[in-house]
Amino acid sequence: MKIDELMTIATFDTAVDAERLRTRFDEAGIGAEVLDERAEQRFLLFSRPHSGIKVRVTKDQKEQAERLMREWDRAEGILTDAVSCPECGSYAIEYPQFSRKTYQSVFFAVLSALGFMRRLYYCKECQFTWSPVPEVKRELDVLNWPVRKPKAKKA
């Protein structure tokens, strides 16, 4: 199996969840592997590991694997702890958003470590990016100014 033929089908924070899915694929006759990118995230991309465990299958088995995976999720919630794109629902996620195919990504990782860039999740299917920390939406008035809440008076 060539590495360039493998495609990420699910992304997890823990190896236990990824291994459970890989085992189910093996039982169904689909060859799958678990790729642990946590060390790469920590040392090459200067990031705390998030979503660094990938379950990958070959390109020719991707459709069948996705169909089975969604059936298993409906029946038993096998993807409950998987990281998915809030825009399209894909489980093929990268964090941080830098490419792993070139060492130039180290430059951007350094910029983000220094605070010049934000680290974002990246969906490989629809290219949507989002923050790992939910943004708090402030209430705005008709002119889009933040609404100030009156301070409570002390009794």
Side-chain angles (χ1 to χ4, degrees):
M1 199 171 359
K2 292 182 182 178
I3 289 179
D4 61 338
E5 291 179 354
L6 295 174
M7 302 188 74
T8 299
I9 193 162
T11 304
F12 295 92
D13 285 323
T14 66
V16 173
D17 296 321
E19 280 297 331
R20 187 178 328 128
L21 181 59
R22 186 200 59 77
T23 301
R24 291 297 304 270
F25 282 138
D26 285 348
E27 292 168 355
I30 295 175
E33 76 167 22
V34 173
L35 174 67
D36 187 344
E37 291 185 331
R38 292 177 296 183
E40 181 180 342
Q41 286 178 346
R42 183 178 292 119
F43 299 114
L44 183 62
L45 301 176
F46 308 108
S47 175
R48 272 189 40 231
H50 284 285
S51 310
I53 314 281
K54 315 284 186 197
V55 178
R56 303 184 328 163
V57 298
T58 59
K59 286 181 184 179
D60 60 327
Q61 292 183 317
K62 183 178 185 246
E63 280 186 40
Q64 180 186 6
E66 283 178 335
R67 183 179 45 77
L68 285 172
M69 186 174 70
R70 294 194 191 275
E71 285 176 17
W72 296 332
D73 188 46
R74 280 191 299 275
E76 61 203 64
I78 200 160
L79 297 174
T80 301
D81 295 319
V83 180
S84 64
C85 175
E87 194 73 13
C88 73
S90 170
Y91 295 96
I93 306 300
E94 294 287 351
Y95 181 86
Q97 71 271 27
F98 314 121
S99 170
R100 275 88 166 135
K101 295 180 181 179
T102 174
Y103 284 107
Q104 291 175 336
S105 59
V106 174
F107 171 73
F108 296 108
V110 169
L111 288 178
S112 69
L114 295 173
F116 293 108
M117 287 181 68
R118 291 182 5 187
R119 292 184 179 109
L120 302 171
Y121 284 103
Y122 171 76
C123 176
K124 293 167 84 173
E125 295 291 325
C126 72
Q127 291 75 47
F128 183 69
T129 58
W130 70 99
S131 175
V133 179
E135 294 181 23
V136 177
K137 301 233 181 200
R138 295 188 65 179
E139 187 179 347
L140 304 175
D141 66 11
V142 294
L143 298 174
N144 285 330
W145 286 86
V147 174
R148 291 188 183 193
K149 304 278 183 186
K151 292 183 181 179
K153 294 182 182 180
K154 293 183 181 180

